[in-house]
Amino acid sequence: MNLDARLLAAHSAGDGAALARLYAEAAERGGPGAEFYLTQAWIFALEAGVPEAESYGARLRAQGLA
């Protein structure tokens, strides 16, 4: 299943932890929208209480985005 399909499935399931990781995966691919995807990863990680939230936030702060 491609990334878009996995994102849609995670949204449908309300799986915040999966959404955080999938948006981080999208951000890692770079290109247009990478900052948006990283921001979404951070938000979903904070909401889901996953440990990756700190590293996503640190990456955004390092880029001057948080």
Side-chain angles (χ1 to χ4, degrees):
M1 190 177 331
N2 70 28
L3 181 57
D4 288 333
R6 291 184 291 147
L7 276 165
L8 289 173
H11 271 290
S12 292
D15 187 344
L19 285 165
R21 293 178 182 114
L22 290 167
Y23 276 112
E25 181 181 331
E28 289 294 322
R29 294 180 179 196
E35 292 88 3
F36 168 80
Y37 291 130
L38 184 56
T39 301
Q40 294 304 304
W42 187 37
I43 291 167
F44 281 108
L46 288 169
E47 289 177 347
V50 297
E52 293 93 331
E54 181 55 39
S55 66
Y56 301 156
R59 287 171 49 197
L60 287 167
R61 286 187 292 280
Q63 295 175 27
L65 300 170

